[in-house]
């Protein structure tokens, strides 16, 4: 039987199950009563891990949640088509398909062969986790203009091989491989 979690014990980055749906806690705020006999309330900012919807909800401190049957498996990105994106499970070597909603805008950061983590709920894929940084090649960018270094911190637009557009230093040329931070989608250095 799955363990139960008290609402008052739910902290930031905790996962829990409510009404058969897994949630991820983004923030927790505990309100203690000022009057006698008042109940301690826990206000949670939570993300539905299936729909990605974010909302706030208040619970009594004594409310209990099930621990979700969540699993993370290593996988490799293969390709995408009109039906979704395909990944190779590195443990069972099965091909897993994730729909467009599950992959969301992560496609702009994925190239063939990228190692990622796939999140499973009750054995079914529900989403993915990218590494902190990915390496992408510059597809197109304007050449730097001599003298741009004087002002320091000068950037220009660059379109990466996946279609992602980021700001890069002026000295970056087409064809170079760059590190891109997946969370902020910003230039992190040369690869």
């Amino acid at each position: 039987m799955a363990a139960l979690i008290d609402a008052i014990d739910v902290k930031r980055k905790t996962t829990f199950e409510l009404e058969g749906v897994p949630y991820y806690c983004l923030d927790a705020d505990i309100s203690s009563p000022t009057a006698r006999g008042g109940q301690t309330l826990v206000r949670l900012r939570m993300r539905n891990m299936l729909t990605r919807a974010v909302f706030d909800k208040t619970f009594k401190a004594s409310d209990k949640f099930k621990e979700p049957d969540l699993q993370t498996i290593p996988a490799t990105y293969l390709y995408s088509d009109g039906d979704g994106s395909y990944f190779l499970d590195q443990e069972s070597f099965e091909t897993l398909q994730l729909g467009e909603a599950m992959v969301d805008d992560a496609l702009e950061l994925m190239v063939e062969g990228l190692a990622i983590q796939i999140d499973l709920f009750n054995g079914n894929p529900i989403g993915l986790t990218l590494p902190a940084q990915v390496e992408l090649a510059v597809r197109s960018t304007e050449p730097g203009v001599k003298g741009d270094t004087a002002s320091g911190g000068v950037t220009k637009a660059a379109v990466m091989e996946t279609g992602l557009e980021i700001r890069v230093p002026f000295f970056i040329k087409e064809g170079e491989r760059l590190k891109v931070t997946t969370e902020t989608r910003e230039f992190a250095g040369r690869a």
Side-chain angles (χ1 to χ4, degrees), residues 104-127:
D104 203 25
D105 57 355
L107 277 178
E108 291 182 326
L109 296 163
M110 294 191 305
V111 291
E112 186 177 317
L114 178 70
I116 59 145
Q117 301 286 322
I118 292 188
D119 303 319
L120 302 175
F121 176 62
N122 293 335
N124 299 314
I126 60 168

Side-chain angles (χ1 to χ4, degrees), residues 21-137:
V21 177
Y23 289 93
Y24 178 82
C25 179
L26 300 169
D27 195 24
D29 183 40
I30 299 172
S31 302
S32 297
T34 54
R36 289 184 188 207
Q39 288 192 350
T40 300
L41 299 176
V42 180
R43 184 169 183 226
L44 300 179
R45 181 161 191 77
M46 50 201 221
R47 170 175 281 136
N48 181 320
M49 294 178 72
L50 300 178
T51 65
R52 303 283 188 233
V54 175
F55 56 94
D56 295 338
K57 192 163 182 174
T58 304
F59 300 93
K60 294 177 191 168
S62 60
D63 286 348
K64 298 195 181 304
F65 305 116
K66 279 177 50 181
E67 198 170 300
D69 177 17
L70 288 173
Q71 207 181 348
T72 302
I73 58 167
T76 306
Y77 174 63
L78 298 174
Y79 66 95
S80 295
D81 63 16
D83 296 329
S85 297
Y86 299 87
F87 301 86
L88 181 65
D89 179 337
Q90 292 298 305
E91 293 173 348
S92 68
F93 298 106
E94 293 178 21
T95 301
L96 300 170
Q97 178 185 356
L98 270 66
E100 193 178 318
M102 289 185 227
V103 176
D104 203 25
D105 57 355
L107 277 178
E108 291 182 326
L109 296 163
M110 294 191 305
V111 291
E112 186 177 317
L114 178 70
I116 59 145
Q117 301 286 322
I118 292 188
D119 303 319
L120 302 175
F121 176 62
N122 293 335
N124 299 314
I126 60 168
L128 59 89
T129 306
L130 294 168
Q133 292 182 342
V134 294
E135 289 184 15
L136 300 173

Side-chain angles (χ1 to χ4, degrees), residues 117-175:
Q117 301 286 322
I118 292 188
D119 303 319
L120 302 175
F121 176 62
N122 293 335
N124 299 314
I126 60 168
L128 59 89
T129 306
L130 294 168
Q133 292 182 342
V134 294
E135 289 184 15
L136 300 173
V138 178
R139 184 189 321 149
S140 65
T141 187
E142 295 178 18
V145 179
K146 191 171 184 173
D148 277 349
T149 54
S151 60
V154 176
T155 62
K156 62 182 179 178
V159 178
M160 308 310 287
E161 63 186 304
T162 59
L164 175 67
E165 188 173 318
I166 63 170
R167 303 295 300 176
V168 297
F170 86 99
F171 55 81
I172 299 295
K173 298 177 182 72
E174 288 182 16

Side-chain angles (χ1 to χ4, degrees), residues 5-22:
I5 305 167
D6 288 328
I8 199 158
D9 294 330
V10 174
K11 306 284 184 251
R12 190 169 176 265
K13 295 186 178 180
T14 302
T15 56
F16 59 95
E17 187 176 330
L18 175 66
E19 298 171 358
V21 177

